[in-house]
Amino acid sequence: MEDILKTVSVNRVPSKDSVYKLYQSLGGGDGDIVTDSQKISLHCPASRSRLTMPVRGRNCDHIDCFDVSSFLFMNKAQKARWTCPKCNKSVQFDEIVVDEFMQTLLNNFPSSDSIDATLENNEIVVREAKKLVKNDSNRNVVETLSNSTYSWRRYLLRFAIR
């Protein structure tokens, strides 16, 4: 398995490519789909566990990733489907790419489940996401996902988007 992971880790998507894709989806480009903010999950859609090596198919259009170990485990059967667990596009072994941007998010937000990305003054601002939880009186209160030193830390991505 280590040899397989080493082979996969060679194929990478540079951070700037992922950031540009996110920039377009947030309204900074000519993209058709525009949102005010985007929630980025740091969990694998297949295994529901936190990503360790974030990957996706080379031809996937989404920013979200899946975990390489979970993907390979799912596809070790003889009748493996080899499709992206997010968009169902075909993803063959040689089309798996590691996303450097997602790896950066995982490293900078080690106890977060998800991240909120917004476009502010033509910069992508990434914050730890919040979630609603129930308190003792059954009223919804907003709580950060983590009480670590990374709570509400602003991680600014400064890339020349051209």
Side-chain angles (χ1 to χ4, degrees), residues 93-112:
F93 181 76
D94 61 340
E95 298 171 333
I96 299 171
V97 292
V98 178
D99 189 312
E100 292 178 349
F101 172 67
M102 288 295 286
Q103 191 64 60
T104 300
L105 292 179
L106 289 165
N107 293 342
N108 282 277
F109 297 96
S111 56
S112 298

Side-chain angles (χ1 to χ4, degrees), residues 38-93:
Q38 184 167 341
K39 188 173 187 173
I40 301 169
S41 176
L42 300 180
H43 284 251
C44 176
S47 68
R48 307 274 190 242
S49 60
R50 186 171 165 88
L51 297 168
T52 53
M53 185 184 289
V55 298
R56 68 171 169 268
R58 187 179 317 278
N59 298 316
C60 291
D61 296 324
H62 50 83
I63 193 82
D64 294 315
C65 291
F66 47 90
D67 192 73
V68 70
S69 297
S70 299
F71 185 71
L72 294 174
F73 180 77
M74 287 177 0
N75 289 294
K76 73 178 186 178
Q78 253 185 340
K79 293 184 179 182
R81 291 184 34 206
W82 291 94
T83 58
C84 173
K86 179 76 178 175
C87 67
N88 291 322
K89 283 188 179 180
S90 175
V91 179
Q92 297 305 309
F93 181 76

